[in-house]
Amino acid sequence: MILAPELRAQIEEIAGRYPDRRSALLPALHLAQRSLGGCVQADGVAEVASILGLPLAAAFGVQSYYTMFNRQPIGRYHLQLDVNVPAMLAGADALLAHLEQVLGIRAGQTTPDGLFTLSTVQDLGSCGTCPVLQVNDRYYENLTPARADELLTHLRRGQMPDWQPEAAWGSSCNILLRRRGNPKARELAEYRKTGGYQALEKALGMTPEALVAEVKAAALRGRGGAGFPAGMKWGFLPKEGNRPVYMICNADEGEPGTFKDRQIMEFDPHLLLEGLTIAGLAVGSRLGFIYIRGEFAWIAEILERAAEQARQAKLLGNDILGRGKEFEVLVHLGAGAYVCGEETALIESLEGKRGCPRVKPPFPASAGLYGCPTIVNNVETLACVPTIVQHGAEAFKKLGTPNNHGPKIFGISGHVKRPGTYEHPLGTSLDALLAEAGGVQGKLKAIIVGGLSVPILTAAEAAGLKMDYDSCLKAGTMLGSGGVIVMNETTSIPAVALRAMEFYAHESCGQCAPCSRGSHTVLALLRRLVAGRGSQADIEAVLHLCKRIKGSTLCPTGDAFSVPIEAMVRKFRPEFEALVR
Amino acid sequence: MKLTIDRTTVEAQPGQTILQVARAHGIYIPTLCYHEKTGAASKCRVCAVVVEGMRGLQLACSVPAKDGMVIHTDTAEARDTQRLVVNLLLSTGTHDCLACEKNGVCELQDAAYHLGIMKPAFVIDSGRGEERPDDSSAFIVRDHARCIACGRCVVSCSKNVINRVLDFGYRGSETRVICDDDRPMGDSSCVQCGECVQLCPVGALVEKKAIGKARTWELSKVRTTCPYCGVGCQLDLHVKGEQIVKVTGVEEGLPNRGYLCVKGRFGYDFPYAEDRLKTPLIKENGAFRPASWDEALDLVASKFKDIIAQSGPDAVAGVSCARSINEDSYQMQKLFRAVFRTNNIDHCART
Ligand SMILES: Cc1cc2nc3c(=O)[nH]c(=O)nc-3n(C[C@H](O)[C@H](O)[C@H](O)COP(=O)(O)O)c2cc1C
Ligand code: SF4
Ligand code: SF4
């Protein structure tokens, strides 16, 4: 046996927490990897599979799906540099070249002394503080080559320094980022002192129907990207039946340009817990999950700690505040897969499977986790719930524009002077946001306003844009997650398109032909174009593919790359043509 | 109920999908990941059709037929998606039909032919390198370069025959079918039942012994009952001239619905064995000599008589062959019970 008895016992214990033992597969692989020095090889996978009663192929299929699981030995320090679009705009390529030079290895290699393995990764959710390097479990943000040298010196001495990032933020709403500047807000006492859990107390006195009605009345639109009204979604749950209902918080936050949810989870974890608990009461769920991306392991610890405090204070558990209501929360770590942010892929992943989206219908509300009725909501959506319950739908609707109510965290990255997260009412003007972020560095060329998967806007198209769902749609793009990526005149759009495509081809779950084969093909064509070996026909082929892939895939990921890539080629075609001549 | 597919009105049964209705009436809609035994996976997206009144393209394999439905398989929009899928699969794999065992009975080739695709639309590096096919197992050759990741083998191995050897590993365009923890099939827990081969729509899984033996159109099928055990699985011998080239299970045949075990599917060499018995043999002075049937049966009968005369009927026992038909087994027990007058009669498939 390669896994220590204590570890096996721990895996058993974790398996017992879930309604289905298989859900413990990702946690078990994480634990095994940590205890086996950074990688789990064949014997380890076989043992994990046998503990959980799974076929070996299923366990290996899962292990090899998620990028955070290493199957080969790696260096003592695994240096993972985010090279995706926002990082690229912040100079990650130069940092990569620097690291390769000082370490004397290429990305994907390990130094001969076994100390460092250097990897490039796609998006770490630190778009406002990149370049960012993940060293084992820890993030090092705002890096420059000089700062990276300093870090290496520490690591060579066997120290992992505790550096806090310098992240800009601001808020005119004081709801979601209200406690962002208060380092004590993670503590329950402080959270309560500043008004926390009053909404939950109020909710305990309301019927589930009244809670759903209030959220419906507030017209709270989902902040995960699609803007679907949360109250309406909750109303889709079957009215009767004896199957359990599960409430899932989507904290996967994996799209380049998006780094808003972590601001809530890291700095105001109780706000999310309170929102999730109220949502659980509203939909009649007794078990909730926070599915958080695996790279955010330290944030998961913050959440777990907060949940434990809440449990102690009877804010969670089987008799909340002595009022006879029950709700429990499990924090579940992903393992490196963007598509697991898609709600049905998330559910599969939570069931201990490969993160492949399911065919809809059935929708999760009728058959989700373990086949039971399930609601999936984004972190920011749930964090809006306490204020709605406490102050009422009418107060909430005072913020924003018609049909687009409430606060929104906009994450601004790329070529601005103060990249960061800024909370303002929906409908705030893009110009004002850019101004708050210190203004564009140089001259604005193009902007992506809703995370990498929405169509790019030229500077002219972006002028005067109001940042809400409907206005963005009218402008030919989408508000998405509200991740704003700013590009000045030095930016090469073909280079951005290529980097974006590298992300999607890497992240495609591989399940359906138009996305897995299509992303691979578009990537190959863009690579050829950017390398100066392409032809006019390749440009046409990219456009042809994007047009056809749109709407033809099993889940929206096909659209997530075909729509933005098509927009980049169409709107900046001369730049692509220049590569051909 | 009635519905219209490409301007033809056809009859449909409740519970059928659009695809099932189309197939029942001989209307071709390209499919790759769908198989009756593994169900609609909605993964290849090649059966995209237009259904009037429904938004966007619909998958024929997944949409239930409804009375009055009007379906088009050949609009520009539907054809664009069907061609997209086939073109992408052709461009990102190695589909060199000239050298492929499945040439002529390949569902990808059929779809390409039907859609008028003569060569892959996109010329790119497939990114698959020069990986050699996996021929490590006794009877099956796997070729990832020809695999279209339809998943039929994975579902059949894990859910139908429940051997749980296959699954998908890795992801994106690197997704591929793995045996156990991605080891060669010959080192894996595979029992070589061959169900995955039978369901493979392309040339990614083929019968090793059949390679190079015949073009598919040279083969004729002879339906028969498996000679091995009393289950009586229905199988097709694929023969070229007098030679069996390969064996497949009969999908619509009972009791096995296409499933076979390793013996039934791959153990067809014995008719050609040089050392098989062609006449009865009688042992004299420690050595066998060929004999006629009459001589041999007379000898057996006289020995039985002697034994029964000397030691009584319970000194003999009969074990009937599991491969015999019911009538033969009946007569065997009748012989022992009524003629020999013993109850010592058994059957070799008891275990
Ligand atoms: C490829 C893909 C990735 C997604 N990633 C996320 C994500 O990281 N976080 C998130 O909340 N929603 C994500 N979504 C949207 C979810 O599917 C789902 O709509 C959302 O979690 C619902 O919550 P909401 O209604 O509160 O927005 C993603 C969707 C797709 C198609
Ligand atoms: S579009 Fe298809 S391959 Fe791409 S992520 Fe969705 S299901 Fe997977
Ligand atoms: S031969 Fe049978 S056991 Fe082996 S992989 Fe194929 S279906 Fe599974």
Side-chain angles (χ1 to χ4, degrees), chain B residues 12 16 46 66 74 129 145 166 175 179 249 260 283 293 302 304 326 349:
Chain B
Q16 281 184 313
V46 82
K66 284 209 192 80
D74 57 357
L166 302 179
T175 301
C179 297
L260 292 174
K283 203 177 209 172
W293 278 108
S302 67
F304 272 132
N326 277 344

Side-chain angles (χ1 to χ4, degrees), chain B residues 185-210:
Chain B
M185 188 176 238
D187 294 343
S188 78
S189 58
C190 170
V191 299
Q192 301 276 289
C193 73
E195 176 65 9
C196 53
V197 182
Q198 175 137 340
L199 294 202
C200 181
V202 293
L205 290 163
V206 297
E207 296 89 347
K208 193 177 194 174
K209 288 196 292 186

Side-chain angles (χ1 to χ4, degrees), chain A residues 339 357 507-512 515-516 553-558:
Chain A
V339 168
E507 298 299 333
S508 162
C509 85
Q511 174 175 228
C512 75
C515 171
S516 74
T553 51
L554 194 154
C555 89
T557 306

Side-chain angles (χ1 to χ4, degrees), chain A residues 110-425:
Chain A
T110 301
T111 51
D113 58 6
L115 207 52
F116 299 109
T117 299
L118 181 63
S119 304
T120 56
V121 291
Q122 303 288 343
D123 185 73
L124 290 173
S126 296
C127 317
T129 45
C130 42
V132 50
L133 191 67
Q134 185 185 349
V135 181
N136 299 348
D137 284 348
R138 201 170 291 184
Y139 274 30
Y140 292 94
E141 296 165 82
N142 319 99
L143 284 186
T144 57
R147 195 87 170 132
D149 288 345
E150 201 185 320
L151 176 61
L152 291 180
T153 309
H154 281 288
L155 296 176
R156 284 204 173 92
R157 286 196 212 115
Q159 302 158 346
M160 300 263 285
D162 186 17
W163 290 352
Q164 290 306 314
E166 284 166 35
W169 58 277
S171 173
S172 65
C173 304
N174 277 317
I175 296 172
L176 303 168
L177 298 185
R178 182 175 161 209
R179 301 181 184 82
R180 176 67 173 77
N182 177 355
K184 285 190 297 185
R186 285 176 190 167
E187 303 304 325
L188 178 59
E190 182 71 11
Y191 181 70
R192 286 187 113 161
K193 209 189 294 163
T194 51
Y197 286 114
Q198 287 175 11
L200 176 61
E201 287 194 37
K202 184 170 172 194
L204 285 165
M206 293 167 72
T207 63
E209 294 73 26
L211 284 171
V212 174
E214 196 66 42
V215 172
K216 236 182 218 170
L220 167 63
R221 297 179 68 166
R223 306 298 200 234
F228 192 84
M232 197 190 288
K233 191 192 290 190
W234 297 0
F236 289 154
L237 284 168
K239 295 285 167 284
E240 45 222 41
N242 48 11
R243 291 177 300 166
V245 175
Y246 296 111
M247 182 72 223
I248 298 177
C249 168
N250 188 341
D252 198 49
E253 186 147 85
E255 186 191 23
T258 308
F259 54 110
K260 63 184 183 72
D261 295 337
R262 65 179 276 198
Q263 313 300 329
I264 297 170
M265 298 188 286
E266 196 174 346
F267 300 99
D268 205 356
H270 285 287
L271 179 64
L272 173 61
L273 287 175
E274 185 177 5
L276 179 60
T277 307
I278 297 172
L281 296 176
V283 303
S285 168
R286 286 189 287 190
L287 183 55
F289 297 88
I290 301 175
Y291 182 100
I292 180 168
R293 60 178 300 176
E295 295 88 343
F296 286 170
W298 85 94
I299 304 182
E301 278 170 25
I302 291 171
L303 288 169
E304 261 167 2
R305 201 167 156 266
E308 188 49 39
Q309 289 178 341
R311 237 168 254 136
Q312 299 295 336
K314 297 200 115 198
L315 293 155
L316 281 177
N318 53 18
D319 185 16
I320 298 176
L321 295 178
R323 308 279 283 274
K325 302 260 173 86
E326 181 181 347
F327 190 70
E328 196 37 89
V329 174
L330 280 178
V331 179
H332 189 95
L333 264 192
Y338 157 70
V339 168
C340 288
E342 193 282 330
E343 57 185 7
T344 60
L346 184 156
I347 287 170
E348 286 280 299
S349 179
L350 192 44
E351 289 183 0
K353 299 175 186 156
R354 296 162 56 78
C356 295
R358 295 177 181 172
V359 177
K360 291 195 251 189
F363 289 89
S366 51
L369 187 64
Y370 314 123
C372 296
T374 303
I375 294 293
V376 182
N377 275 126
N378 173 255
V379 171
E380 194 184 356
T381 314
L382 292 169
C384 287
V385 169
T387 187
I388 293 173
V389 169
Q390 197 175 347
H391 303 293
E394 280 319 306
F396 187 80
K397 284 175 85 168
K398 290 217 175 75
L399 287 178
T401 51
N403 198 31
N404 295 264
H405 303 289
K408 176 86 195 79
I409 303 177
F410 299 98
I412 307 185
S413 62
H415 294 142
V416 288
K417 299 200 182 84
R418 286 192 337 123
T421 40
Y422 302 94
E423 178 194 14
H424 294 296

Side-chain angles (χ1 to χ4, degrees), chain A residues 11-43:
Chain A
I11 293 173
E12 276 297 344
E13 191 268 314
I14 292 171
R17 286 183 209 165
Y18 292 89
D20 181 337
R21 292 171 61 79
R22 181 167 182 165
S23 287
L25 182 54
L26 262 61
L29 288 169
H30 275 303
L31 281 174
Q33 177 159 310
R34 211 165 301 149
S35 85
L36 295 174
C39 82
V40 182
Q41 291 175 303
D43 41 3

Side-chain angles (χ1 to χ4, degrees), chain A residues 428-451:
Chain A
T428 298
S429 87
L430 179 60
D431 297 331
L433 283 180
L434 293 179
E436 188 177 12
V440 179
Q441 286 177 328
K443 188 164 163 277
L444 182 66
K445 175 176 183 177
I447 191 159
I448 297 171
V449 298

